[in-house]
Amino acid sequence: MDDSQHWNASVTQILERACLAPSSHNTQPWRFRVFEPVIELLADDSRALPVNDPHNRELTISCGCVLETLVLAANEADMTAQIQPLPDPDRPQLLATVTLSRSGRHLRSLNPLSRCIGRRHTHRGRFTEAAVDPCLFPRLHQAIQGTGVSLTSLNNLGRRALVAALVAEGDRQLWANVDWRRELAAWMRPATEGDGLVVPSPWGRGIGWAVRRFNLGRLLALSSRQQAQSAPLLLALSTDADTPRLWLDAGRALQRLLLAANHHGYQASFLNQAVQVPELRDELSGLLEGSRPQIVLSLGVPASELAPSPRRPLSVG
């Protein structure tokens, strides 16, 4: 195998690992262009959520997650990655360029997070009642140092109750929007599709029909409130402002946090309903001393292992 073929094989492996990153609704809204030694990361607007995410904030956060995973996967291949975020104002879909080079330093031994890329899954089931290690929060805080993203614990009773109420109200308001329900239903798919929110094949069409037709907000608000109130560890990631660069940074920090949590035996569930409703997001910002909330999540030990979300074929070119 010549140098070019070896580089192409390495890049394919790196990108396949990078695509194991989480994304909103499991839309996987990214694509890549490769020009040795450069990889371009682009937002895939065909996979956007215009009702749920009208400004592409969550899409950009998702791409930040894949960017951070790409860097770690490159380290696994003993390559260094030099990142230039948002390099071209005339190409807003181009979120970053990554220049790869051989390091010769065996970086895979330096970062244990890379070993968690395939083990990290979004958990949509129950957590056990096991207490969270009190050292976990400081370790997570350390994992995202240098990103410019803030991590806040929402675990004290006052904050937890307020967040739980906001999350429940978010469910009620989102589900009352018929267009939002239609968009959600469009991303409810069998696992064989390779993306979206997985529903069992025999009932998938019926579930989608019910989601489009019925407002389940009140029912789900009760469940979400309980989930927030009982979360072993309830956290928020926030930034000083709302800009595409900070959203990209938030995604990178989120993936570092998720992988660090997994390294210590924990998985995450997301509780972003209040972040997705502007008025509720403003209220949540008040709990964060004016910082703009980007992600609300809970961490715990899964009561049962669920299958990972499916992945679509790698999109390059």
Side-chain angles (χ1 to χ4, degrees), residues 86-132:
L86 303 173
D88 188 345
D90 295 327
R91 297 175 64 195
Q93 289 180 319
L94 177 59
L95 297 180
T97 58
V98 182
T99 303
L100 298 180
S101 60
R102 289 287 175 190
S103 69
R105 291 188 293 151
H106 304 291
L107 292 174
R108 71 185 63 164
S109 64
L110 301 181
N111 199 330
L113 299 188
S114 62
R115 295 193 293 270
C116 301
I117 291 172
R119 300 201 306 253
R120 180 223 60 84
H121 309 304
T122 299
H123 186 67
R124 295 184 173 88
R126 294 185 306 105
F127 290 123
T128 69
E129 296 181 4
V132 171

Side-chain angles (χ1 to χ4, degrees), residues 59-231:
L59 182 152
T60 308
I61 290 174
S62 299
C63 288
C65 289
V66 86
L67 179 60
E68 185 64 23
T69 317
L70 192 161
V71 172
L72 291 168
N75 288 353
E76 283 185 302
D78 288 330
M79 301 179 81
T80 57
Q82 182 179 355
I83 297 171
Q84 185 177 2
L86 303 173
D88 188 345
D90 295 327
R91 297 175 64 195
Q93 289 180 319
L94 177 59
L95 297 180
T97 58
V98 182
T99 303
L100 298 180
S101 60
R102 289 287 175 190
S103 69
R105 291 188 293 151
H106 304 291
L107 292 174
R108 71 185 63 164
S109 64
L110 301 181
N111 199 330
L113 299 188
S114 62
R115 295 193 293 270
C116 301
I117 291 172
R119 300 201 306 253
R120 180 223 60 84
H121 309 304
T122 299
H123 186 67
R124 295 184 173 88
R126 294 185 306 105
F127 290 123
T128 69
E129 296 181 4
V132 171
D133 184 343
C135 294
L136 180 62
F137 182 80
R139 288 167 177 163
L140 298 178
H141 193 272
Q142 182 178 19
I144 70 165
Q145 277 189 338
T147 63
V149 178
S150 299
L151 177 64
T152 304
S153 172
L154 304 171
N155 252 32
N156 75 61
L157 292 179
R159 278 181 169 174
R160 183 186 287 270
L162 287 170
V163 172
L166 290 173
V167 168
E169 180 59 24
D171 265 330
R172 285 188 285 267
Q173 291 196 30
L174 291 170
W175 278 85
N177 183 335
V178 174
D179 291 333
W180 183 88
R181 298 204 308 267
R182 287 173 178 161
E183 185 174 82
L184 175 65
W187 284 96
M188 300 178 78
R189 300 173 177 182
T192 53
E193 292 290 320
D195 59 6
L197 303 169
V198 175
V199 293
S201 296
W203 303 287
R205 187 172 297 177
I207 292 173
W209 176 84
V211 166
R212 285 188 291 268
R213 185 171 179 84
F214 299 111
N215 179 355
L216 304 176
R218 285 190 175 185
L219 178 63
L220 293 176
L222 294 174
S223 174
S224 297
R225 182 191 288 267
Q226 176 58 31
Q227 186 181 354
Q229 288 176 331
S230 63

Side-chain angles (χ1 to χ4, degrees), residues 273-285:
Q273 294 93 320
V275 186
Q276 294 164 345
V277 179
E279 297 81 5
L280 302 179
R281 190 174 182 224
D282 289 341
E283 290 190 50
L284 185 56
S285 182

